[in-house]
């Protein structure tokens, strides 16, 4: 099949505001998927996996007022 990705797509639900804030917090040289993959590998205690570094606090750190 043409354009078949190496891994299947996995989906989960997350609040849209939190997902957007996460995207803002992720460094420019990576993407959300990369951070999530590294966290999951760390969480599952895969050999050599390290927890992704958290960015310094920013506008995304403060939840919107309700």
């Amino acid at each position: 099949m043409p354009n078949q990705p190496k891994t299947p797509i996995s989906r989960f639900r997350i609040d849209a505001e939190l997902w957007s804030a996460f995207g803002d917090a992720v460094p420019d040289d990576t993407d959300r998927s990369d951070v999530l993959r590294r966290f999951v590998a760390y969480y599952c205690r895969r050999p050599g996996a390290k927890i992704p570094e958290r960015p310094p606090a920013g506008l995304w750190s403060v939840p919107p007022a309700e």
Side-chain angles (χ1 to χ4, degrees):
M1 294 180 136
N3 273 344
Q4 190 170 20
K6 290 187 259 182
T7 56
I9 294 174
S10 300
R11 298 174 191 233
F12 66 99
R13 294 184 185 268
I14 189 169
D15 178 86
E17 186 279 324
L18 184 58
W19 184 247
S20 178
F22 180 50
D24 293 340
V26 169
D28 290 336
D29 61 339
T30 189
D31 61 26
R32 290 180 276 207
S33 295
D34 183 54
V35 174
L36 290 171
R37 279 190 293 271
R38 288 187 286 152
F39 178 77
V40 170
Y42 160 81
Y43 195 84
C44 292
R45 300 177 183 266
R46 294 295 165 99
K50 293 183 173 41
I51 192 165
E53 186 176 334
R54 288 173 72 184
L59 295 176
W60 55 81
S61 305
V62 182
E66 293 184 22

